[in-house]
Amino acid sequence: MTLERHWQVYETFRLRFEGAAARLAEVETDPRLVGLSVSKRQFERWYGGAVKTRPYPDQCRVLEAMFGIGVDQLLGPAVARPDARAGPPSVVPPVRPVPVFLTTEQAQVLPAGGRFSSETRLDAGTTELERQVAMAARRALRFTAMAEGSSVGPEALGQIQDEVRRLTVAYPKLALPTLLGDLVEVQDLTFRLLEHGHLRPLQARELYLLAGITSGMLAKASHDLGNPSAAMMQARTAFVCADNADHHAMRAWVRSLQSLISYWAGRPAEAADYADLGQAAAGNVRGTTSVWLACLSARAHALLGDGEATRTAIQRAEDARAVAQSDDLDGFGGIMTFPVPRQLYYVAEATVHLGEDPVLAESQAEAAVAAYRTATEDEWAFGDEAGAQTDLALARLARGEVDGAAEAVRPVLDLPVEQRNFGITSSAQRVYAALPSGSRRVGGVAVDLREEIEAFTATPTSVLIR
């Protein structure tokens, strides 16, 4: 079927697959499908018939939409075509056209690399209009801020609040290259207003909070690009802004971020210290940041091998969740809040790293993966879902289930380059390190998986931003 449509070249197939995913996301109102892609290795497996397990459910949906038949039939053994000289051919159902492909005109508006960003649509006119509208909105924001003179008026402050809120909601869902420019621009604007504007005390506090949130997101962006030094620099700036805003919850949130940066930089003791500092800064804070701090403490102590401290922190997270009340940081949504699926992911990761109970670890990881598959749009985050899937793979490897681990990590290895941030590639490398060697029975699966992980981690998101 791929040959019939002349899609046997990987780049051609990938373009069609991503176009189908984007269209299906719009038709079914499922944002998780936006940006869904297929790796070259996976395409070669499908095309060559070397499929041992069903693709991930979302990939199945896209494939079935592309070809109009069930995935089992699509990836099953090829059916030989009847010889025309051997009599009347058997009746073969025609391939049903499904309107999820790009037309020639639509393909011309794809961004470089053929991937869809959050702002790309299948209608060329709409794409151009939206691009112009977005550019005009950013220009209006800059003009409003400057036009109100040396003081910061309510209109400018309101526009900056709206833009920061948009970015906090978008950050967990969209690839970093689509957001980085806007983050830098908003941070620059808030800094200039703080440095040169005449601000009333309440305005100054609000602007410092917005500058802190933006700097925090840029700290996370630096971390996602694998630069912990730049990440810490931005985080310290965010903490200074939180101090100037005299915002306890923001101070605690920044300490949480510093704990996360240290954790992925391989400094678990420092990560635990930052989590403790965050607890001290939180005071009577009842927002979900208190849950995040406890979960960060659990992960850090698990890497340190302290089982008692890990279990205590997990219980503290449950207690904090029970009394949590949405605060103004939670009100921003997205990266500023800590939903239940993310808590399940952190708890599973702590249990996996502790290594005391592989059965419990697998159960918790399965619960986290299931939570992300059914998460609301406000709760879903591609990076945390990938983390839960790699934790499930690690838990299964601890139980000697190599095939199960390969199945669990499959959706991660199929992520496009723009979503292969530092945390995701580091998680994949943990799976690589845990793969067994020497067993004839599992050797083939493990070798193939190693090759895929090597290819996956060799091209992280950072290669796109130079």
Side-chain angles (χ1 to χ4, degrees):
M1 207 172 276
T2 305
L3 280 170
E4 290 173 353
R5 301 186 184 204
H6 309 291
W7 295 351
Q8 62 267 38
V9 176
Y10 165 65
E11 289 297 333
T12 302
F13 183 88
R14 179 178 61 77
L15 177 65
R16 297 295 179 177
F17 185 93
E18 291 170 355
R23 182 62 176 171
L24 196 61
E26 187 172 330
V27 170
E28 297 189 359
T29 319
D30 187 348
R32 297 181 307 164
L33 297 178
V34 176
L36 187 66
S37 187
V38 58
S39 68
K40 186 174 183 180
R41 177 80 173 181
Q42 187 62 45
F43 165 73
E44 291 170 349
R45 286 175 178 272
W46 291 346
Y47 185 62
V51 182
K52 298 178 182 178
T53 59
R54 285 171 61 90
Y56 188 51
D58 286 342
Q59 290 181 324
C60 290
R61 292 164 60 194
V62 176
L63 288 171
E64 289 172 354
M66 287 176 69
F67 292 97
I69 61 174
V71 72
D72 291 330
Q73 180 181 350
L74 179 65
L75 299 179
V79 178
R81 292 185 174 276
D83 191 327
R85 296 169 297 179
S90 302
V91 176
V92 179
V95 176
R96 293 175 289 152
V98 181
V100 294
F101 306 120
L102 299 174
T103 65
T104 302
E105 293 79 9
Q106 291 163 347
Q108 290 173 350
V109 303
L110 279 173
R115 298 192 185 279
F116 281 82
S117 73
S118 62
E119 297 180 353
T120 306
R121 298 292 184 270
L122 293 182
D123 178 77
T126 302
T127 301
E128 178 61 20
L129 286 175
E130 288 186 348
R131 187 183 68 82
Q132 292 182 23
V133 167
M135 289 176 62
R138 288 194 291 272
R139 186 177 185 280
L141 174 61
R142 292 193 300 271
F143 175 80
T144 301
M146 297 301 107
E148 289 183 329
S150 59
S151 63
V152 180
E155 295 302 324
L157 197 56
Q159 282 187 296
I160 295 171
Q161 288 170 337
D162 290 345
E163 181 66 358
V164 170
R165 184 170 285 106
R166 178 185 73 83
L167 292 169
T168 61
V169 170
Y171 198 104
K173 300 177 177 60
L174 303 183
L176 181 57
T178 68
L179 300 173
L180 188 55
D182 289 349
L183 284 169
V184 171
E185 187 167 354
V186 174
Q187 185 195 51
D188 180 65
L189 179 58
T190 58
F191 283 179
R192 279 191 285 142
L193 291 173
L194 285 167
E195 290 168 350
H196 304 298
H198 294 169
L199 304 170
R200 291 188 292 273
L202 287 178
Q203 288 178 322
R205 288 184 63 180
E206 181 63 24
L207 199 54
Y208 270 117
L209 175 61
L210 296 172
I213 292 172
T214 307
S215 298
M217 284 191 282
L218 280 168
K220 181 64 164 60
S222 300
H223 158 73
D224 285 341
L225 294 174
N227 190 336
S229 177
M232 276 298 183
M233 189 178 300
Q234 291 280 4
R236 292 187 183 102
T237 300
F239 193 85
V240 169
C241 290
D243 252 352
N244 279 280
D246 195 22
H247 200 289
H248 295 304
M250 189 62 197
R251 290 188 185 101
W253 189 90
V254 177
R255 292 306 190 201
S256 300
L257 185 61
Q258 290 173 311
S259 177
L260 179 145
I261 295 166
S262 298
Y263 170 81
W264 287 107
R267 302 191 294 265
E270 183 179 284
D273 289 343
Y274 274 122
D276 289 342
L277 285 173
Q279 294 283 353
N284 294 322
V285 170
R286 288 291 178 266
T288 61
T289 297
S290 59
V291 185
W292 189 18
L293 283 164
C295 288
L296 286 161
S297 180
R299 288 203 313 187
H301 282 109
L303 277 185
L304 293 170
D306 190 335
E308 183 177 353
T310 301
R311 288 184 289 273
T312 298
I314 291 173
Q315 183 59 54
R316 191 164 67 247
E318 293 177 1
D319 295 342
R321 176 69 66 183
V323 299
Q325 298 175 356
S326 182
D327 60 12
D328 57 341
L329 293 189
D330 290 309
F332 278 91
I335 196 173
M336 302 307 297
T337 191
F338 193 79
V340 171
R342 198 174 177 198
Q343 179 179 353
L344 295 175
Y345 153 50
Y346 274 56
V347 169
E349 184 150 297
T351 307
V352 166
H353 291 327
L354 196 58
E356 294 179 348
D357 191 339
V359 175
L360 176 61
E362 183 176 11
S363 174
Q364 290 177 338
E366 287 174 342
V369 170
Y372 273 109
R373 287 179 178 170
T374 59
T376 66
E377 185 177 353
D378 293 337
E379 295 174 332
W380 184 77
F382 75 86
D384 294 329
E385 182 177 33
Q389 289 162 329
T390 53
D391 285 338
L392 179 56
L394 287 169
R396 288 177 175 174
L397 285 174
R399 300 189 64 198
E401 299 176 5
V402 179
D403 289 335
E407 180 183 6
V409 80
R410 167 57 43 216
V412 179
L413 300 182
D414 287 336
L415 288 174
V417 173
E418 51 266 39
Q419 291 185 324
R420 299 178 191 175
N421 63 37
F422 180 69
I424 291 175
T425 55
S426 296
S427 295
Q429 287 169 340
R430 286 173 172 173
V431 175
Y432 181 94
L435 284 168
S437 59
S439 170
R440 289 185 178 180
R441 186 180 67 83
V442 301
V445 177
V447 168
D448 288 346
L449 192 52
R450 278 198 185 90
E451 291 177 357
E452 288 195 69
I453 294 174
E454 287 174 356
F456 177 83
T457 56
T459 315
T461 301
S462 57
V463 304
L464 301 177
I465 303 176
R466 297 297 186 191

